Amino acid sequence: VLGAGFGLLSTPLLVGVQSTITWRDRGVVTGANIFSRYLGQSLGAAAFGAIFNSAIANELARAPALLRPQLPQHVDAVIGALHRGIAHGAAEDYLRHAMYLATRHIYVGMVVVSLCTLVVVLLTPRNFPQVDEVPPT
């Protein structure tokens, strides 16, 4: 759903931005647009990764004292503990719940980003000013 939404949004915005400048500058605007998209994707992945890891770390730190010896000490060992079957019973359930909470934080973050994107789209002019210039032949 996100891919479809961003896909439907990116092309019209690129064409809209391209239509506001001269033919000579279209390459610069297109490159800047694509660079900005990739930068945003990279920063978004880093931010959501940090949120996910922070949520897991918080859950590991708040674990009940009886479960702590059975839980991994580091965030990067949680997946391995679940896949290798190292965590059993209550420890496995606790780790799965921690993953659930971290994933829920990601989805809440995506809702916030989606609402911000919706606000930007609603504030974007319906018609971009166009440059009347004959394209080079």
Side-chain angles (χ1 to χ4, degrees):
V1 171
L2 288 172
F6 287 128
L8 291 173
L9 180 66
S10 65
T11 301
L13 286 177
L14 176 62
V15 171
V17 170
Q18 286 176 337
S19 69
T20 63
I21 48 101
T22 63
W23 276 91
R24 185 175 62 94
D25 297 328
R26 288 203 178 190
V28 173
V29 169
T30 301
N33 183 284
I34 292 171
F35 173 76
S36 298
R37 280 192 359 220
Y38 286 138
L39 180 63
Q41 290 170 0
S42 298
L43 293 176
F48 285 123
I51 291 168
F52 188 86
N53 285 342
S54 175
I56 295 285
N58 287 340
E59 290 302 311
L60 289 176
R62 294 181 348 173
L66 293 174
L67 284 180
R68 281 191 191 140
Q70 302 169 34
L71 297 175
Q73 300 302 312
H74 302 285
V75 171
D76 55 351
V78 171
I79 297 291
L82 289 171
H83 281 291
R84 289 188 208 109
I86 296 170
H88 298 289
E92 180 181 3
D93 292 341
Y94 189 82
L95 289 177
R96 290 190 186 279
H97 183 70
M99 298 275 296
Y100 161 76
L101 290 176
T103 304
R104 189 176 74 182
H105 287 16
I106 296 298
Y107 280 106
V108 168
M110 289 303 291
V111 167
V112 170
V113 169
S114 298
L115 292 174
C116 291
T117 302
L118 179 63
V119 168
V120 168
V121 167
L122 292 175
L123 294 175
T124 301
R126 298 268 185 247
N127 296 313
F128 288 96
Q130 294 184 356
V131 174
D132 293 327
E133 181 182 38
V134 178
T137 54

